[in-house]
Amino acid sequence: MADATIDCLIAGAGPAGTAAGILLAEAGLRVVIVEKQDFPRFRIGESLIPAVNATLKKLGVWERMDEAGFLRKYGAEFLYGDGSQVVHNVFAKGFVPGYEYTYEVERKRFDQLLLDRAVEAGCEVRQPVAVDSAEQVDQRWRVKLSNGESIDAQWFLDASGRGGVLPRRLGMKREEFDHLPRRFAVFNHFRGVQRRPGCEAGNITIVRVPDGWFWSIPLDAERTSVGLVTARNEPGKRPPEIFADCVARNAFLRGWMADAEPLDDFQVQADYSFRQPRYAGENWFLLGDSACFLDPVFSSGVYLALSSAEHAAGLICGQARERGYLTDSEQKSYEDNLNGRVSVMNKLVSIFYDPYGFSVFMSPTNRFRLFAAVNAIVAGHTQMEFGLRWRFALFCWICRLNRRAPLAPLVELS
Ligand SMILES: Cc1cc2nc3c(=O)[nH]c(=O)nc-3n(C[C@H](O)[C@H](O)[C@H](O)COP(=O)(O)OP(=O)(O)OC[C@H]3O[C@@H](n4cnc5c(N)ncnc54)[C@H](O)[C@@H]3O)c2cc1C
């Protein structure tokens, strides 16, 4: 016998879990969110893209973002490590009109904001409590928690991040969907990192270096998140030394980080770009990172987390609510929708890592409004109307063509 019977059990209170919880609880369903860590807790993934804005409004937190002190992000700046070329993607100049800015967020505060909102919407929360196991009993999920509780739920939504509770339980084998060398990230929060002036002060800076890239994300008036994503694994060198060497080798970064002072211990995360073979079944969903993880260079993680949560909640609250299960076509629509978004962002990621593609990215032209189209994809507009679709396809084709017929100068990374 279970201790309680509910509509939806959500594993994980990251953005995917709390977003789904808010929408389901507001639709009148009984929702329990189970989070294994105590909040506030550190999480990486601090730069949002404008494609999240509509969902943040729907969740009722958009108005709270300025109040919470998050910095406004009006665009993204891309450079080579020697500072020789700079491209600025300004969201307001994108092909799709609308959101001119979004936010940089310290995740411990952003995730807490969403969790508070979930409680306000009616979710019950178990924390710090882990989902230990989940099995199907009479077309429901019987979920065992680390506090000894057993809960029966009609729907199980796994938003437990890259560790994925349900994929392990279902014996899923991850697929890698890029063929790049394995990368890892080494990062820290710093004081004293340079900023651009004016309204560019909150923008993300991405610096391309030989085996990867740096991010610099302003978090507040003082603190900046800086990280290196690299495939360079030098035996005998610890990741913070690889980070320091890479800063020292690149003229732009030497200046940018000249007065930088680390505020915490460096952290390292590996394990890049995968997707699970399935994202949904009759009465379960994988949300956000639990379903798939894409290289974070275009800051798409929270967007994919929120959009998958929104879609899953929409399906549960639709015809499936009465029926109690998803049809094959509903499961497929969920998987196709998420794969569609991932595939667009992944095209941009592949271009970024391909020196020929990146040369085109760094030599923008607004002929046929191509630069405006790329800006719109950088902002996360993955649900493309025809005008954006053909422009982005043309841009991708030019990136490929640059291998055969030099159209944009190839910059040697040093
Ligand atoms: C180096 C790096 C840089 C990144 N930069 C960005 C960026 O700039 N912008 C961006 O949008 N994204 C970025 N991302 C991606 C981003 O971190 C994730 O995509 C995002 O956090 C996914 O949200 P989520 O809710 O799916 O999972 P998470 O945020 O990982 O939340 C999962 C939650 O589940 C909990 N949990 C785990 N197991 C259990 C269990 N058994 N029971 C209960 N709870 C459990 C965890 O404690 C956690 O709180 C980056 C990622 C990396 C690695």
Side-chain angles (χ1 to χ4, degrees):
M1 257 307 263
D3 300 315
T5 299
I6 60 167
D7 297 308
C8 306
L9 188 132
I10 301 176
T18 46
I22 293 166
L23 298 172
L24 292 164
E26 285 195 328
L29 295 170
R30 184 171 173 201
V31 181
V32 171
I33 300 178
V34 182
E35 168 55 52
K36 80 170 176 191
Q37 287 186 286
D38 231 339
F39 276 18
R41 53 96 174 91
F42 176 87
R43 204 97 195 140
I44 197 64
E46 297 150 323
S47 196
L48 303 183
I49 50 177
V52 302
N53 296 4
T55 312
L56 294 181
K57 285 187 180 165
K58 196 165 172 186
L59 297 174
V61 294
W62 178 253
E63 278 70 27
R64 304 181 189 185
M65 300 290 283
D66 277 329
E67 267 166 47
F70 297 129
L71 291 186
R72 289 189 179 189
K73 168 185 172 185
Y74 288 91
E77 175 189 52
F78 293 83
L79 306 100
Y80 285 107
D82 62 2
S84 59
Q85 267 172 275
V86 184
V87 165
H88 217 122
N89 292 84
V90 178
F91 299 137
K93 295 185 180 163
F95 189 78
V96 181
Y99 301 114
E100 297 189 351
Y101 66 90
T102 186
Y103 289 93
E104 313 285 21
V105 294
E106 188 180 14
R107 282 287 300 276
K108 69 177 181 196
R109 291 191 296 123
F110 179 65
D111 290 14
Q112 183 70 61
L113 183 87
L114 284 169
L115 184 58
D116 291 346
R117 178 72 194 96
V119 171
E120 202 179 280
C123 295
E124 296 167 47
V125 179
R126 307 284 191 274
Q127 187 183 30
V129 173
V131 168
D132 277 348
S133 68
E135 56 174 329
Q136 290 204 277
V137 179
D138 299 334
Q139 292 169 339
R140 285 178 172 271
W141 287 94
R142 179 151 301 165
V143 184
K144 299 241 162 77
L145 309 186
S146 62
N147 63 355
E149 230 181 315
S150 164
I151 299 182
D152 277 3
Q154 180 66 45
W155 300 94
F156 184 86
L157 293 90
D158 183 357
S160 61
R162 285 186 286 157
V165 175
L166 203 50
R168 270 185 283 127
R169 156 77 183 73
L170 298 175
M172 289 185 183
K173 222 167 160 260
R174 291 171 169 193
E175 297 163 3
E176 290 192 18
F177 60 94
D178 67 25
H179 301 286
L180 295 164
R182 282 182 175 265
R183 280 147 281 153
F184 65 93
V186 44
F187 48 90
N188 205 337
H189 287 172
F190 293 82
R191 185 183 296 129
V193 178
Q194 283 207 6
R195 296 273 165 94
R196 294 296 186 203
C199 70
E200 290 178 1
N203 291 0
I204 188 172
T205 300
I206 303 281
V207 183
R208 184 81 167 86
V209 293
D211 298 301
W213 52 279
F214 272 85
W215 76 73
S216 174
I217 302 173
L219 293 177
D220 57 30
E222 279 207 329
R223 290 173 313 144
T224 306
S225 166
V226 183
L228 164 68
V229 172
T230 183
R232 181 186 288 255
N233 207 348
E234 296 175 59
K237 273 204 179 150
R238 294 170 53 247
E241 294 171 278
I242 296 175
F243 178 100
D245 282 359
C246 202
V247 170
R249 267 200 311 273
N250 287 281
F252 171 79
L253 287 162
R254 277 201 303 278
W256 195 249
M257 299 289 288
D259 301 320
E261 216 187 292
L263 295 172
D264 294 302
D265 291 336
F266 277 86
Q267 295 197 41
V268 179
Q269 281 193 22
D271 204 5
Y272 270 77
S273 294
F274 68 85
R275 69 170 144 219
Q276 301 293 1
R278 290 186 64 195
Y279 302 156
E282 283 197 350
N283 57 356
W284 58 268
F285 289 90
L286 305 184
L287 310 179
D289 279 9
S290 168
C292 60
F293 182 76
L294 188 58
D295 186 289
V297 60
F298 288 102
S299 308
S300 54
V302 172
Y303 159 61
L304 295 172
L306 294 180
S307 55
S308 61
E310 193 177 346
H311 195 201
L315 286 169
I316 292 174
C317 297
Q319 290 173 0
R321 186 168 179 169
E322 279 298 300
R323 208 192 299 125
Y325 64 91
L326 293 183
T327 60
D328 288 350
S329 72
E330 285 167 335
Q331 293 169 38
K332 188 169 178 323
S333 87
Y334 179 73
E335 299 188 343
D336 288 351
N337 185 287
L338 184 50
N339 276 334
R341 293 174 201 263
V342 169
S343 141
V344 175
M345 294 313 290
N346 195 35
K347 278 187 185 142
L348 215 48
V349 172
S350 305
I351 286 168
F352 179 86
Y353 280 105
D354 169 20
Y356 294 93
F358 192 59
S359 299
V360 175
F361 184 92
M362 292 299 284
S363 311
T365 166
N366 219 5
R367 264 186 116 171
F368 306 117
R369 299 194 63 208
L370 282 192
F371 187 44
V374 174
N375 264 352
I377 307 295
V378 171
H381 291 288
T382 56
Q383 311 271 287
M384 294 183 275
E385 298 293 330
F386 179 69
L388 180 54
R389 189 181 297 275
W390 75 255
R391 284 176 174 85
F392 186 54
L394 177 60
F395 171 75
C396 294
W397 180 77
I398 295 170
C399 290
R400 286 194 298 276
L401 189 65
N402 197 33
R403 284 185 167 269
R404 291 165 190 267
L407 300 166
L410 195 63
V411 173
E412 286 292 322
L413 297 169
S414 56

